[in-house]
Every structure is written in C-alpha cells, then in structure tokens.
C-alpha cells in the first residue's frame, strides 16, 4: 500500500557537470524500476539542471534545506516558493548535519514543514538519536521530542503525505548500519508517534531508514514491515550503487 521511496542525499557533493554525468548514468539503469519512487536530494546549484534532466523520468529532485519565511532579509537562504517555481519536487528537512552544524531546532523545522507544504513541496523530515543517546536508552525519548515538536503544525493530510527518515546518527557515514531489529523497532516507534497524532494518517506516512545503506544491506532493511524506503548518502553518489538499492526495494 505504501510505495517505497529511495532518496539519495548527495550532501555537498557534485558540481553541475558531475551531476549531469551521474543522471545520464542513472536514468537508463532505473528506466524499468516499477513500484518504487526515486529521488535525488541535491545542492542548490544543481537543482535547475537536475529538474531539467529528469523531466519525464521516474526520478524526482529535492533540495536539502530551505528557509521557513516566504521572503525577507535572510542572506544566503532560499524560500519554498523559490524551489517550487523551478519545479523542484520536495525538500529534505532536519538532517542531523543541519541540526548539528546549523542549529536547526524542532520548532523551526515545524515551521519549515508547514512552509514547504503551503508551497506544494513534498518533505522528508529526518529524525534520529546519537550513539550516546542510544547507549543511555534515550532513543524513544529523543524521537518523541523530535516528532512531537516537529509535526506540531501539520494536519492529517499533511501527515499522511509526509516522509520521515529515521537516521540513527551513529550509523550515518560510518559503515555501522543498524541491525534489522533496531531499524524495525525505531521505524515502528516513529509510526506510533505519528499515529498518536492521527491514527489513519500514520498508515500512509512513509518511513525511511537511513545510515550506511548500501546495495548489500538494502534488501534486508527494505524488507522490514515499517521501513518504506531508504535515505542514502554515500551509496547515492554512484549511479550503479544507487540503482542497485532501488532494485532491492522492489525485489
Ligand atoms: P550515509 O548517509 O548513507 O552515507 O550513511 C545517510 C544520510 O546522511 O542521509
């Protein structure tokens, strides 16, 4: 009932020339990948080129951040309307790197989610605990705080269409992937928090796992009942590995 989503998070990688090389390598590989939604989350400078190069394909294009205000004196920022004007499909919000290095708070993320929705952008909200928080048995408390505050401004329809990426910070870029049991438990918990706001919507909300997803561990993670896809960092930078993960989502 929930179509899997495989989203590649390029972070601060790829010039336009490199992005064009990537997409011309990827499109033939995913041409026939039925039953899975694909997205690439790219730096601002790559957005227009990737929107143009993916038009008519099964790959949608997401930004990696945006500002919550419609416009204003916010030097260096980009608004939701600026993204939707150039046919960007959506935006990743609250990645742990943005929370850590750019001070993104749950309250600001709640506003960003609302602004994205008002501009017609899809959104992927990232949540997850640090290694220390997991060791101290705080995972559920951390997820509860991030979700209760982050989702505060969304109605049921927005919740149903939202994508939430559970990304344990200790697994991001480390090669230390969560076990199937940890991933399922956390993603089921995320769904239960959405259900606490709106039970019916939570059945439609897609929940992704992220953190060292590779072609050789994707099938197991993507087969878990509450995992509806993956947010992929390092392995999304090469067409072959990204396409292999997409294939694992439908096998
Ligand atoms: P990774 O990154 O796949 O390289 O661990 C995931 C992410 O940061 O979204």
């Amino acid at each position: 009932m929930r179509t899997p989503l495989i989203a590649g998070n390029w972070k601060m990688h790829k010039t336009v020339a490199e992005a064009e090389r990537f997409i011309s390598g990827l499109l033939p590989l995913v041409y026939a990948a039925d039953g899975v939604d694909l997205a690439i989350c790219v730096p601002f400078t790559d957005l227009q080129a990737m929107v143009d190069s993916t038009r008519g394909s099964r790959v949608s294009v997401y930004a990696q951040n945006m500002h919550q205000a419609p416009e204003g004196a916010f030097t260096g920022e980009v608004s939701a309307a600026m993204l939707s004007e150039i046919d960007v499909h959506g935006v990743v919000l609250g990645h742990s790197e943005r929370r850590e290095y750019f001070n993104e708070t749950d309250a600001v993320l709640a506003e960003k989610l609302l602004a994205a929705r008002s501009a017609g952008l899809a959104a992927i909200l990232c949540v997850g605990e640090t290694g220390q928080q997991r060791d101290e048995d705080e995972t559920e408390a951390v997820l509860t705080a991030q979700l209760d505050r982050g989702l505060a401004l969304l109605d049921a329809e927005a919740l149903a269409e939202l994508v939430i990426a559970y990304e344990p910070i200790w697994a991001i870029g480390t090669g230390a992937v969560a076990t199937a049991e940890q991933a399922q438990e956390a993603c089921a918990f995320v769904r239960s928090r959405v259900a606490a706001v709106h039970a019916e919507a939570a059945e439609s909300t897609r929940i992704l796992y992220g953190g060292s997803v590779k072609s050789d561990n994707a099938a197991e993670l993507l087969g878990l009942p509450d995992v509806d896809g993956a947010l992929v960092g390092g392995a999304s930078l090469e067409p072959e590995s990204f396409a292999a993960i997409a294939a694992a989502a439908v096998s």
Side-chain angles (χ1 to χ4, degrees):
M1 159 182 119
R2 296 183 293 263
T3 304
L5 169 65
I6 305 297
N9 174 18
W10 288 0
K11 312 192 180 187
M12 197 173 73
H13 291 283
K14 296 195 192 295
T15 62
V16 172
E18 289 164 345
E20 293 288 13
R21 267 199 298 281
F22 171 92
I23 206 68
S24 45
L26 181 70
L27 292 182
L29 299 178
V30 298
Y31 181 75
D34 268 332
V36 56
D37 291 341
L38 300 176
I40 49 174
C41 312
V42 310
F44 286 129
T45 48
D46 292 336
L47 285 170
Q48 182 74 70
M50 289 302 95
V51 163
D52 292 341
S53 296
T54 56
R55 234 180 263 283
S57 81
R58 56 181 66 246
V59 178
S60 42
V61 177
Y62 281 56
Q64 299 175 3
N65 178 39
M66 49 158 250
H67 197 274
Q68 63 274 24
E71 61 182 0
F74 301 108
T75 302
E77 293 290 321
V78 164
S79 74
M82 293 169 185
L83 298 175
S84 61
E85 184 195 31
I86 61 165
D87 289 345
V88 166
H89 186 81
V91 60
V92 179
L93 293 171
H95 189 279
S96 61
E97 288 149 17
R98 295 215 51 90
R99 291 175 186 262
E100 182 178 355
Y101 306 132
F102 303 98
N103 302 320
E104 293 222 337
T105 64
D106 296 314
V108 163
L109 289 166
E111 289 180 39
K112 289 190 178 196
L113 283 168
L114 189 63
R117 176 111 190 132
S118 309
L121 294 172
I124 301 175
L125 173 69
C126 302
V127 295
E129 81 288 359
T130 65
Q132 189 181 349
Q133 288 164 335
R134 176 164 282 270
D135 290 346
E136 291 172 4
D137 225 8
E138 289 171 2
T139 299
E140 293 193 352
V142 169
L143 295 176
T144 298
Q146 289 174 334
L147 291 165
D148 288 4
R149 295 189 203 127
L151 305 181
L153 303 179
L154 298 184
D155 61 18
E157 198 183 334
L159 284 174
E161 289 175 16
L162 181 67
V163 176
I164 301 174
Y166 166 66
E167 296 207 305
I169 295 168
W170 48 272
I172 294 178
T174 59
V177 67
T179 64
E181 193 185 349
Q182 288 169 327
Q184 167 57 26
E185 194 178 57
C187 289
F189 183 76
V190 169
R191 194 176 309 285
S192 76
R193 293 314 306 169
V194 181
V197 187
H198 199 283
E200 204 181 314
E203 292 302 309
S204 302
T205 308
R206 287 187 288 183
I207 300 172
L208 315 183
Y209 168 80
S212 297
V213 175
K214 309 275 180 247
S215 52
D216 58 2
N217 59 27
E220 184 183 19
L221 291 161
L222 295 169
L224 299 168
D226 280 292
V227 175
D228 306 315
L231 184 57
V232 185
S236 75
L237 293 173
E238 295 298 331
E240 294 74 18
S241 48
F242 189 58
I245 294 168
V250 282
S251 58

